[in-house]
């Protein structure tokens, strides 16, 4: 199984994620973000305000975590983030719904892109038949006083 592709495919299923940065007092700050794009190599793009706290955080520490969760799917990405001022890329990614945050539209000078370069990630996919299979394994392990075993279809740590 290609766990790297599975991880990227799972990330592509999400519309939103939590972006975690380290603030100037070294605490971790997490905030929900709309995912603008996930590229084939796993890079994740967000759109934000260049004067936001997350951009200020990235000036001190570029290491970030991006987490996603649905009912039966969980993904965590660790990597680095960079603020990118690229109007052509912004035009490519622009969604009208973002006018809620940028009333001037994509012409707003406050907009900056965030590009996440993933270093590694992890997923748990307990959806569909994989979820049923895991429940059976977990029940059997419980009855035997053991831990359930997972395979790469369900859970994997993936260097990117």
């Amino acid at each position: 199984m290609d766990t790297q592709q599975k991880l990227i495919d799972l990330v592509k299923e999400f519309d939103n994620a939590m972006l975690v940065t380290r603030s100037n007092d070294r605490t971790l700050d997490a905030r929900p973000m709309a995912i603008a794009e996930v590229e084939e190599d796993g890079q994740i793009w967000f759109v934000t305000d260049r004067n936001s706290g997350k951009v200020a955080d990235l000036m001190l520490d570029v290491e970030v975590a991006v987490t996603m969760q649905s009912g039966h799917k969980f993904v965590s990405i660790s990597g680095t983030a960079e603020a990118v001022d690229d109007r052509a890329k912004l035009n490519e990614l622009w969604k009208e719904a973002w006018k809620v945050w940028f009333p001037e539209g994509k012409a707003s000078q406050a907009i900056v892109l965030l590009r996440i370069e993933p270093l590694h990630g992890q997923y748990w996919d307990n959806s569909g038949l994989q979820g049923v299979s895991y429940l059976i394994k977990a029940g059997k392990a419980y009855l035997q006083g053991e831990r359930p075993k997972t395979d790469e279809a369900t859970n994997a740590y993936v260097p990117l």
Side-chain angles (χ1 to χ4, degrees), residues 54-70:
K54 67 189 88 55
V55 173
D57 290 350
L58 295 175
M59 290 180 192
L60 301 170
D61 189 343
V62 297
E63 292 183 358
V64 298
V66 180
T67 64
M68 292 146 265
Q69 176 183 346
S70 68

Side-chain angles (χ1 to χ4, degrees), residues 7-9 11-14 35-45 68 93:
L7 177 66
I8 293 167
D9 289 345
V11 172
K12 287 180 178 182
E13 292 182 24
F14 289 91
I35 297 172
E37 181 181 48
V38 179
E39 294 190 2
E40 292 304 316
D41 63 358
Q43 289 185 69
I44 303 169
W45 290 86
M68 292 146 265
L93 298 176

Side-chain angles (χ1 to χ4, degrees), residues 6 10-12 17 20 29 39 81-82 88 94 104 124 145 158:
K6 165 105 180 180
L10 282 170
V11 172
K12 287 180 178 182
V20 183
D29 285 331
E39 294 190 2
E82 174 186 16
W94 180 256
E104 298 170 19
W124 273 90
V158 183

Side-chain angles (χ1 to χ4, degrees), residues 14-21 29-35 44 46 54 64-69 75-77 116:
F14 289 91
D15 295 324
N16 298 290
M18 294 295 287
L19 174 66
V20 183
T21 60
D29 285 331
R31 71 274 289 162
M33 301 282 293
I35 297 172
I44 303 169
F46 296 109
K54 67 189 88 55
V64 298
V66 180
T67 64
M68 292 146 265
Q69 176 183 346
V75 177
S76 174
I77 301 287
I116 311 303

Side-chain angles (χ1 to χ4, degrees), residues 27 131 137:
T27 59
K137 289 177 188 176

